[in-house]
Amino acid sequence: MKKAVITGITGQDGSYLAEMLLHKGYEVHGVIRRASTFNTRRLDHLYRDPHNGEKVQLFLHYGDLSSSDSLERVIHDVHPDEVYHLAAQSHVRVSFDMPEYTGDVTGLGTIRILESIRRLGSNTRFYQASTSELFGSAAAPQSETTPFQPQSPYAAAKLYAFWVTRNYSQGYDLFACNGILFNHESPRRGETFVTRKITMAVARIKAGLQKKLYLGNLEAKRDWGYAPEYVEAMWSMLQQEEPHDIVIGTGEAHTVRNFVEEAFGYVDLNYKDYVEIDPRYFRPTEVNHLEADPAKAKRILKWNPKVRYYDLVRIMMDADLELIGLESPGDGKKIVEDKFDDWHNWEDQIVSMGR
């Protein structure tokens, strides 16, 4: 039985990755921060519905990216075959308000884990969750050879993490690689991220619980994909013979305005009646166009996304409509049922969001 450690296991990506690895027969260990309240709702369904009726091999450990000792203790105790480093202060707008904290957790947190692996002297394979925000103002489409031009404290911290991952791979012969993931969303996305903020607001407006949706730059273009498929790419990267830094994305970009229009249109509402611009949501340095060139992912990983942009909007809208107690058209539910096997199903989506 392979053993994996996941930082950020309680987040969107971490929960999907844990679910997938458990179904592949892994023993999964997650690192979570100690807090006065529980934040494991995205994982709770895994305990309620064990795969094949067997005991779930899922274990949670307290740790913090700002504490080398806590991270080293987990790595030493578990002795994992694979480490997936997904945790970070990952909200771009927040990084402008908390730049020092973002640098410490998102940047230095990575080297703390790499040092723990190096000191252990094992054959542990390491995956670093990089981001399309590294490209910043670089011309689209962006590939592995596109020069990085970070435009936020978050992106700058991730750039540090990217290079130390490569340095440890080359300097210490560790199997360490960067997945440069473009935006990927799902019903498990945090409610402060723009896509989920939109779909939640549309559901609440449809139910008469909210009157307006306040947003920033509607003309920003992003390459949006479906998160469960992106964790498959993460896993595949650690199964290769050699480590590769790889861009993961769909290869198509759409504006925030278009996402808003599609989401409101799905419930027969005109977004212009409900959306207002709030200057607080603009970044000091804006990133206008992120669009992946995923040729390397297709060539090396044989990775091709099944869910396209318009499918994604429907999946998220159906889940949030059902979450709030409204009947949904069901297009998103059918997409999930048609395109995915038994490790990922619609009921997990809704249960994990706390219905």
Side-chain angles (χ1 to χ4, degrees):
M1 179 182 291
K2 280 189 175 182
K3 291 188 287 187
V5 166
I6 303 173
T7 69
I9 194 170
T10 60
Q12 169 189 255
D13 292 5
S15 65
Y16 281 124
L17 179 61
E19 185 177 345
M20 186 191 73
L21 293 178
L22 287 170
H23 282 258
K24 287 183 178 293
Y26 279 64
E27 179 180 301
V28 176
H29 296 259
V31 180
I32 61 173
R33 288 179 294 175
R34 187 180 294 274
S36 59
T37 58
F38 291 108
N39 184 31
T40 58
R41 62 192 177 97
R42 294 185 177 97
L43 303 172
D44 290 344
H45 70 284
L46 295 176
Y47 292 107
R48 287 197 297 266
D49 185 23
H51 184 51
N52 291 336
E54 300 173 358
K55 181 180 178 181
V56 174
Q57 297 297 305
L58 174 60
F59 308 92
L60 301 181
H61 307 259
Y62 287 118
D64 196 298
L65 291 178
S66 63
S67 167
S68 299
D69 289 344
S70 67
L71 297 172
E72 189 161 329
R73 183 177 62 253
V74 173
I75 299 298
H76 181 271
D77 290 350
V78 176
H79 209 100
D81 299 283
E82 299 167 2
V83 171
Y84 296 86
H85 179 36
L86 313 184
Q89 189 304 99
S90 58
H91 199 288
V92 178
R93 184 62 190 84
V94 170
S95 76
F96 286 99
D97 301 324
M98 304 176 68
E100 182 180 353
Y101 174 77
T102 300
D104 184 31
V105 170
T106 305
L108 292 177
T110 304
I111 205 166
R112 292 178 182 122
I113 297 175
L114 285 165
E115 266 295 279
S116 297
I117 294 172
R118 184 184 71 83
R119 289 172 182 172
L120 186 62
S122 70
N123 293 321
T124 299
R125 296 187 169 203
F126 176 80
Y127 171 87
Q128 163 62 17
S130 278
T131 170
S132 59
E133 290 287 334
L134 293 176
F135 297 118
S137 57
Q142 294 100 3
S143 72
E144 294 81 6
T145 60
T146 301
F148 297 135
Q149 298 181 35
Q151 298 291 299
S152 67
Y154 166 71
K158 280 290 191 179
L159 183 59
Y160 176 86
F162 176 94
W163 282 115
V164 297
T165 297
R166 182 173 286 186
N167 290 165
Y168 271 66
S169 177
Q170 296 173 345
Y172 298 112
D173 198 29
L174 297 183
F175 191 109
C177 57
N178 292 281
I180 309 173
L181 272 59
F182 281 64
N183 294 62
H184 45 290
E185 320 296 320
S186 76
R188 298 185 195 176
R189 189 59 143 153
E191 295 174 19
T192 61
F193 290 87
V194 68
T195 52
R196 187 78 200 293
K197 179 179 177 180
I198 292 166
T199 59
M200 276 293 293
V202 172
R204 289 178 58 82
I205 288 170
K206 185 67 174 179
L209 301 175
Q210 183 172 328
K211 293 183 178 180
K212 294 289 183 179
L213 168 61
Y214 296 93
L215 296 170
N217 182 9
L218 295 183
E219 305 313 319
K221 283 187 173 182
R222 293 294 185 268
D223 184 329
W224 281 301
Y226 187 43
E229 297 188 279
Y230 285 57
V231 302
E232 291 177 350
M234 296 176 191
W235 175 80
S236 182
M237 287 179 65
L238 291 195
Q239 312 314 308
Q240 304 303 308
E241 291 186 7
E242 301 291 336
H244 297 274
D245 299 327
I246 301 178
V247 162
I248 306 295
T250 69
E252 61 180 83
H254 299 267
T255 64
V256 175
R257 183 185 300 277
N258 183 253
F259 195 103
V260 169
E261 187 174 14
E262 287 296 321
F264 274 96
Y266 192 61
V267 294
D268 298 319
L269 295 177
N270 186 339
Y271 80 94
K272 294 180 181 178
D273 296 330
Y274 303 98
V275 174
E276 293 189 8
I277 303 302
D278 188 334
R280 293 179 300 170
Y281 296 117
F282 282 87
R283 304 179 186 178
T285 48
E286 194 63 56
V287 173
N288 293 315
H289 189 178
L290 295 176
E291 181 178 341
D293 175 358
K296 186 175 181 180
K298 293 179 180 179
R299 184 177 73 255
I300 293 178
L301 305 180
K302 312 303 180 188
W303 184 85
N304 283 288
K306 301 173 185 176
V307 173
R308 311 307 296 189
Y309 166 74
Y310 294 102
D311 294 336
L312 175 65
V313 178
R314 286 155 176 75
I315 289 170
M316 294 182 68
M317 278 305 311
D318 272 2
D320 278 334
L321 288 167
E322 292 191 18
L323 184 65
I324 212 165
L326 296 179
E327 185 176 350
S328 70
D331 293 0
K333 180 178 181 179
K334 188 175 188 304
I335 290 164
V336 173
E337 291 173 344
D338 287 349
K339 296 189 176 184
F340 293 93
D341 60 24
D342 64 354
W343 78 263
H344 171 72
N345 61 69
W346 181 258
E347 197 57 32
D348 284 348
Q349 296 265 18
I350 307 303
V351 168
S352 69
M353 294 311 303
R355 191 178 69 178

